[in-house]
Amino acid sequence: MFKRTVKAFIVSLVLLFSTVNVFALEEYVAEIYKEIDSCFTSKDEEKLYAVLSRNNKDKYYYLIENYTQKKIRRLIVNNEYVFAMEATLAVIENNLDNEEAVEMYSVISDAYEIQLKHEAEVAHQKELEAARLQLAKEKQRGNVEKEYNSAKKATGDGSVYVSGKESKLSSYSWKAKFGAADALFLLEKTGNLKTLHYGVSLDFNYIYTLENKIKVGADVFAGVQFLGMAEEKDLVPFFIDGEASIKFCNPNLLKNLFIRTGFNVMLAGESNKAVNTEGVEKKFYSPFVGLKLEQIAIGPVRLDIGADWLAGHLFTDNITMAAGASMNVEIPFAELEKVKLNLNIGAKDKIFLKKDNGLENRASLILAIGVENVIR
């Protein structure tokens, strides 16, 4: 009984001292771990080397070394290759037999080289993009310098830019319209005619803006009606209406008002069987002057409206007055890089006041597809 009690006491003492040693070991190593953590936080490879060097003869150095390599692997996961290599070198220099550390250094070095190549490629792409943007900027600047003009400040010590909307430098615009449907309604009082005729038309407008803001331009129109809806005695075989004009606008007075002057030709076909068309004016040649408001904005829609005095009546015995009027509503529906397309609904009217209370009116409704240049 006594022997058994002594034996149990000895075993208890051994276990007690072992527990104390384990606790002492854990506290001792934990303090070194804290120093290593501090080295990795501050990324101080010299301090890390000193901690490892101070303990590399310790019989528990393998625990310290393993903990350090665990911290290094975490750096690799976070792509922090530079300090990972420096920390690995500190491990190797304190234990040249650590093959795992040597292999780890090789892996980190290869990964770091790949990262450097990737960063260089990214930097190169950024340089190319910056060069592209600079080239586009220079190109845009060239376009701006064409559209804007530099003016001296009043003090003479610099320059300012005046918007091209305020003062354009030799810019131009054009617009062409193809009237796929040009329907003319004829009213002629003498023969009591009321007939409808169908045809097509072409219309072209051009405006050139000078450096001093003055606008000059030209209008050309040609229309022909070759199909008639009437009885043979009332049928005019065809109508032709053509005009060409130059125009002038001073935006300082009124931005959209043009003064026009040009020449107009109107022809009507003759038929021996159309007895009621005797009073229709078959030929009329006339210079004209007029006013025209262009591109009046109503939301996205643009409106043109004008009126002309036809001076040809001064040279025609049976006509006491002649005048013309026009209107066009432009509805945009597509814009490409250099041109934009629009639908046009237009109307033209020519009226002749004749002697003996005679009256002839030619009113046209035109549906046209338009194309015009885009001003950047």
Side-chain angles (χ1 to χ4, degrees):
M1 180 68 178
F2 177 75
K3 290 182 180 180
R4 190 177 297 175
T5 301
V6 171
K7 185 177 180 181
F9 177 73
I10 292 172
V11 170
S12 298
L13 286 176
V14 170
L15 290 174
L16 175 63
F17 283 113
S18 298
T19 304
V20 170
N21 287 337
V22 169
F23 288 147
L25 172 62
E26 288 181 353
E27 184 177 354
Y28 156 68
V29 173
E31 289 299 321
I32 298 175
Y33 286 175
K34 289 180 181 178
E35 291 185 62
I36 293 172
D37 289 341
S38 175
C39 296
F40 276 84
T41 300
S42 61
K43 291 184 169 53
D44 189 340
E45 71 277 8
E46 293 183 0
K47 183 179 177 181
L48 176 64
Y49 177 83
V51 172
L52 296 176
S53 179
R54 188 171 65 247
N55 296 281
N56 66 0
K57 301 300 183 182
D58 195 295
K59 64 179 179 178
Y60 298 112
Y61 179 70
Y62 71 95
L63 294 175
I64 300 169
E65 195 174 48
N66 288 342
Y67 184 76
T68 304
Q69 291 179 191
K70 178 181 177 182
K71 301 285 288 186
I72 292 172
R73 284 191 286 271
R74 186 169 298 173
L75 290 177
I76 297 172
V77 172
N78 295 329
N79 296 330
E80 299 180 43
Y81 298 124
V82 175
F83 186 68
M85 288 192 294
E86 293 172 347
T88 306
L89 281 176
V91 173
I92 294 172
E93 289 173 359
N94 280 281
N95 182 9
L96 295 176
D97 295 329
N98 190 334
E99 295 180 359
E100 183 182 353
V102 173
E103 183 178 353
M104 184 182 295
Y105 183 85
S106 177
V107 171
I108 297 171
S109 178
D110 291 343
Y112 183 53
E113 184 177 352
I114 292 173
Q115 184 189 50
L116 289 178
K117 289 181 180 179
H118 174 71
E119 291 176 351
E121 178 63 23
V122 171
H124 179 62
Q125 292 299 326
K126 287 183 178 179
E127 290 177 359
L128 292 178
E129 180 65 12
R132 186 189 68 79
L133 292 175
Q134 183 63 27
L135 183 62
K137 185 177 179 180
E138 291 296 329
K139 183 178 179 180
Q140 183 66 22
R141 182 177 179 180
N143 292 336
V144 169
E145 287 177 351
K146 291 178 182 178
E147 184 67 22
Y148 290 66
N149 64 321
S150 179
K152 288 291 184 181
K153 287 183 179 178
T155 56
D157 58 355
S159 62
V160 295
Y161 281 93
V162 180
S163 167
K165 293 180 180 178
E166 301 293 336
S167 175
K168 289 186 177 180
L169 179 62
S170 300
S171 61
Y172 66 92
S173 64
W174 57 265
K175 179 167 61 178
K177 293 178 288 186
F178 171 67
D182 184 351
L184 180 145
F185 176 74
L186 171 66
L187 171 63
E188 204 281 309
K189 188 174 180 181
T190 303
N192 196 26
L193 290 178
K194 294 181 181 179
T195 59
L196 186 64
H197 302 262
Y198 173 82
V200 294
S201 66
L202 287 173
D203 199 346
F204 183 79
N205 311 107
Y206 180 86
I207 298 175
Y208 188 89
T209 305
L210 302 175
E211 188 174 352
N212 59 358
K213 302 182 184 180
I214 301 300
K215 297 180 181 180
V216 296
D219 293 337
V220 178
F221 174 83
V224 57
Q225 290 81 27
F226 46 81
L227 294 177
M229 299 180 185
E231 297 181 7
E232 194 171 34
K233 61 185 178 61
D234 298 328
L235 187 62
V236 178
F238 65 85
F239 289 94
I240 294 176
D241 185 4
E243 67 178 42
S245 67
I246 57 174
K247 55 188 179 181
F248 167 87
C249 173
N250 185 349
N252 294 319
L253 300 177
L254 190 57
K255 182 179 178 181
N256 301 98
L257 181 64
F258 284 83
I259 299 174
R260 302 197 321 148
T261 181
F263 196 82
N264 181 248
V265 175
M266 283 178 282
L267 303 174
E270 296 185 59
S271 171
N272 294 330
K273 296 179 181 180
V275 293
N276 290 336
T277 64
E278 184 65 28
V280 175
E281 196 66 31
K282 303 301 189 298
K283 296 180 181 179
F284 186 75
Y285 307 101
S286 175
F288 67 87
V289 293
L291 299 175
K292 186 179 181 184
L293 284 168
E294 293 193 11
Q295 297 293 290
I296 306 301
I298 307 174
V301 175
R302 297 292 183 269
L303 173 67
D304 295 349
I305 186 168
D308 301 317
W309 172 59
L310 305 178
H313 72 88
L314 298 175
F315 315 105
T316 307
D317 293 336
N318 64 323
I319 299 178
T320 59
M321 178 61 72
S326 64
M327 183 184 70
N328 184 73
V329 177
E330 176 187 304
I331 306 170
F333 63 83
E335 181 170 332
L336 308 178
E337 184 177 353
K338 294 184 178 181
V339 298
K340 53 185 176 181
L341 306 177
N342 46 66
L343 173 66
N344 293 267
I345 303 173
K348 281 183 171 291
D349 188 72
K350 297 290 174 59
I351 186 169
F352 305 114
L353 297 179
K354 302 180 180 181
K355 295 180 179 179
D356 302 325
N357 296 319
L359 172 68
E360 180 178 338
N361 189 71
R362 303 180 186 182
S364 297
L365 177 65
I366 304 173
L367 299 180
I369 296 297
V371 58
E372 60 186 285
N373 68 317
V374 175
I375 301 176
R376 299 295 183 185

